[in-house]
Amino acid sequence: MELHKEFFKQDTVKVAKALLGKIIQYKGTAGMIVETEAYKGSPDMASHAAKRTPRSAIMFDTFGKFYIYFVYGNYFCLNITTEEYKPGAVLIRALQPLEGIKIMKKRRGTKDVHNLTSGPGKLCQALGITKKLNGTEVNDKIKIYEPDNKLMKKLNDINKKNSLSLKPLSPSKLSPKFKIVAAERIGIKKAKHLKWRFYIKGNEFVSKK
DNA sequence: TCTCAGATCGTCT
DNA sequence: GACGATCTGAGAT
């Protein structure tokens, strides 16, 4: 069942947590969301949501829309805007591949399943998501939905075949220890000086730095 | 005009 | 695992 637009009206951190385990699908490729990151404005002043610019305005004005931006000259990052009256978005950081794995391998130029969607830039590349989808409504072109039993079975089959367990593939610096995480930045000035708050299975962990 | 980034990859230890 | 090189474009000055 597709997630209703109203789902994204909630608090950003709530949405980030709730998106874990959901399926994201675009043009014959799909994966289960295993790592998300909540972006709000204050007190995270290094977030795009901290300042309204032509690029980030979508985070201020909408919920339930895809915010896709180009970064480091090579990659795209996929976010979904949240909250009605406050700026916010959830970055999709990692997926577990589910459908269209052949296509993903081709696009990513690797045969390693663990390396297909284990990062925000990687997953956009694997799914063929580019800036042209920026601003589209959730479920217009890119679908997000709750997995049914059939899909879960398929996921388990893929896991068996590739010796994977139900865990995220992200080697992300964000979550070196923990698997299947939602995260929130709690520092204030520059991205590299930020602290992180992780949510794993209902528990909270705060990074040391 | 300048700076540098919500990332990735290859190379090194 | 740590680190440097790298790409383009948005935002700052």
Side-chain angles (χ1 to χ4, degrees):
Chain A
M1 199 177 77
E2 287 178 6
L3 293 186
H4 199 270
K5 188 182 173 180
E6 300 294 303
F7 173 88
F8 299 95
K9 214 171 179 177
Q10 306 177 75
D11 172 73
T12 306
V13 175
K14 263 192 185 173
V15 174
K17 290 196 235 178
L19 277 175
L20 298 175
K22 303 290 188 284
I23 306 299
I24 186 157
Q25 183 189 51
Y26 178 64
K27 278 193 175 173
T29 53
M32 187 178 81
I33 299 171
V34 291
E35 188 174 313
T36 59
E37 187 177 332
Y39 278 94
K40 304 173 88 164
S42 171
D44 176 3
M45 299 316 285
S47 152
H48 286 190
K51 192 165 192 183
R52 190 191 176 98
T53 64
R55 183 174 62 166
S56 68
I58 188 170
M59 294 174 88
F60 290 72
D61 299 339
T62 71
F63 59 90
K65 283 194 177 187
F66 287 103
Y67 170 39
I68 299 160
Y69 57 83
F70 190 62
V71 45
Y72 291 107
N74 277 317
Y75 307 101
F76 295 100
C77 286
L78 179 69
N79 300 257
I80 308 169
T81 61
T82 54
E83 308 201 39
E84 189 165 21
Y85 301 110
K86 289 186 223 165
V90 174
L91 171 68
I92 310 298
R93 294 193 59 89
L95 303 177
Q96 176 156 342
L98 184 57
E99 275 175 15
I101 291 177
K102 268 189 189 170
I103 304 171
M104 292 187 190
K105 285 179 177 172
K106 197 175 169 188
R107 285 182 180 147
R108 290 276 303 125
T110 176
K111 289 180 178 175
D112 181 6
V113 178
H114 298 78
N115 196 21
L116 293 179
T117 52
S118 53
K122 294 179 188 180
L123 71 90
C124 284
Q125 194 177 34
L127 270 63
I129 289 170
T130 65
K131 205 179 163 185
K132 70 179 182 196
L133 292 160
N134 183 40
T136 57
E137 291 268 345
V138 163
N139 297 323
D140 176 12
K141 291 183 173 145
I142 305 168
K143 317 269 184 199
I144 298 193
Y145 54 88
E146 197 85 58
D148 57 16
N149 292 336
K150 201 175 156 188
L151 265 181
M152 288 308 287
K153 188 180 176 302
K154 187 172 177 179
L155 192 65
N156 286 326
D157 290 345
I158 290 171
N159 289 338
K160 273 185 201 163
K161 195 174 163 188
N162 294 289
S163 308
L164 301 170
S165 58
L166 263 181
K167 65 181 183 183
L169 309 172
S170 176
S172 155
K173 286 164 193 156
L174 176 69
S175 52
K177 276 186 179 174
F178 305 112
K179 304 298 178 186
I180 306 196
V181 297
E184 175 190 11
R185 311 196 317 178
I186 54 176
I188 52 167
K189 284 179 185 167
K190 288 222 167 192
K192 48 184 153 185
H193 299 136
L194 292 170
K195 271 191 178 182
W196 301 90
R197 182 180 291 135
F198 305 109
Y199 300 94
I200 304 112
K201 292 179 182 174
N203 297 313
E204 275 186 34
F205 300 85
V206 175
S207 68
K208 283 179 189 167
K209 204 176 168 186

